[in-house]
């Protein structure tokens, strides 16, 4: 794949029952990932780590029309800098875990629908954003709007390095009311009470 970026893939048959697909460090583009999708209708986990992907758009193949059964998407170690690219995934109906560590995201946002349309990222329970240049607390505030979010991993970001570890943890807990796990640790009731008092 690395020798012909942007080329159409020559695909051998996939088992239609395939649940997990790993395409790490292959140089694959997102457009090529979308070409694979019709051959794996039952796919639940997709790992596309360290491929230099910066764009999740293809006008002829919108991401929202794909992967109806996908529960986990791992985009760690790519080159995504614009949150609008991630926002293209908001309609994936079963997406529960989104791994975005080591990209180039400086901010993230959440826009509520103006109509009766389904909420964006309605099934997303966990998001990992460690190692991104996130620098504003408004990005943390946005996480509060994700309707199903319960787990967050965020380390090695400017925002987490600007305060001490304890203070940063309490500030995040206070700003994301529904959070149950932060960086692998359970958010206990007393910890939440302390966080809300401090905030």
């Amino acid at each position: 794949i690395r020798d012909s970026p942007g080329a159409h893939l020559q695909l051998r048959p996939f088992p239609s029952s395939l649940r997990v697909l790993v395409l790490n460090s292959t140089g694959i583009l997102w457009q090529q990932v979308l070409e694979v999708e019709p051959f794996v209708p039952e796919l639940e986990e997709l790992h596309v780590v360290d491929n230099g992907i910066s764009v999740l758009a293809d006008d002829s193949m919108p991401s929202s029309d794909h992967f109806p059964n996908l529960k986990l998407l791992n985009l760690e170690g790519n080159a995504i800098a614009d949150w609008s690219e991630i926002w293209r995934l908001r309609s994936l109906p079963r997406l529960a875990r989104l791994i975005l560590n080591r990209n180039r995201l400086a901010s993230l946002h959440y826009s509520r629908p103006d109509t009766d349309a389904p909420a964006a990222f309605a099934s997303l329970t966990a998001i990992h954003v460690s190692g991104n240049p996130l620098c504003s607390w408004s990005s943390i505030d946005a996480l509060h709007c994700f309707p199903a979010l319960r787990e967050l991993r965020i380390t090695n970001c400017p925002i987490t390095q600007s305060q001490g570890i304890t203070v940063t943890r309490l500030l995040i807990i206070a700003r994301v009311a529904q959070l149950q796990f932060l960086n692998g640790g359970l958010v206990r009731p007393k910890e939440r009470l302390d966080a809300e008092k401090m905030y």
Side-chain angles (χ1 to χ4, degrees):
I1 295 174
R2 289 186 183 279
D3 294 334
S4 55
H8 289 283
L9 298 181
Q10 299 298 316
L11 297 173
R12 296 180 180 179
F14 283 89
S16 61
S17 60
L18 190 71
R19 296 290 193 276
V20 179
L21 181 60
V22 179
L23 296 168
N24 298 343
S25 302
T26 58
I28 196 168
L29 303 176
W30 187 250
Q31 178 181 350
Q32 295 171 315
V33 172
L34 295 181
E35 291 177 15
V36 172
E37 187 268 343
F39 298 92
V40 286
E42 303 300 321
L43 193 69
E44 295 181 356
E45 289 190 22
L46 175 59
H47 300 265
V48 199
V49 176
D50 291 328
N51 283 300
I53 293 171
S54 60
V55 175
L56 301 182
D58 178 1
D59 292 339
S60 65
M61 304 173 73
S63 297
S64 60
D65 294 342
H66 293 263
F67 301 113
N69 295 302
L70 194 67
K71 297 178 181 179
L72 183 152
L73 176 57
N74 187 352
L75 288 164
E76 182 168 352
N78 282 288
I80 302 168
D82 191 335
W83 178 255
S84 64
E85 296 299 325
I86 303 303
W87 192 248
R88 298 178 189 276
L89 306 171
R90 66 189 181 276
S91 298
L92 292 177
R94 301 185 67 188
L95 184 65
R97 304 184 69 84
L98 181 57
I99 302 173
L100 300 171
N101 300 330
R102 296 189 297 109
N103 274 272
R104 300 176 186 175
L105 295 166
S107 64
L108 58 86
H109 311 279
Y110 189 94
S111 299
R112 297 182 186 276
D114 296 329
T115 65
D116 293 331
F121 292 108
S123 300
L124 192 69
T125 60
I127 187 169
H128 298 193
V129 291
S130 296
N132 281 279
L134 295 167
C135 56
S136 171
W137 283 100
S138 63
S139 293
I140 304 301
D141 293 336
L143 292 171
H144 176 74
C145 300
F146 286 71
L149 189 67
R150 299 293 180 267
E151 177 186 335
L152 171 65
R153 286 187 180 266
I154 177 170
T155 59
N156 300 319
C157 302
I159 196 172
T160 61
Q161 297 169 341
S162 61
Q163 312 267 0
I165 295 175
T166 301
V167 171
T168 298
R169 180 176 174 85
L170 291 175
L171 285 172
I172 293 173
I173 291 170
R175 289 170 181 261
V176 188
Q178 72 274 29
L179 211 57
Q180 297 177 357
F181 293 90
L182 176 58
N183 293 331
L186 177 66
V187 177
R188 301 184 183 279
K190 185 180 184 303
E191 188 177 27
R192 177 162 297 286
L193 182 61
D194 291 342
E196 291 171 354
K197 286 179 179 178
M198 185 189 74
Y199 184 59

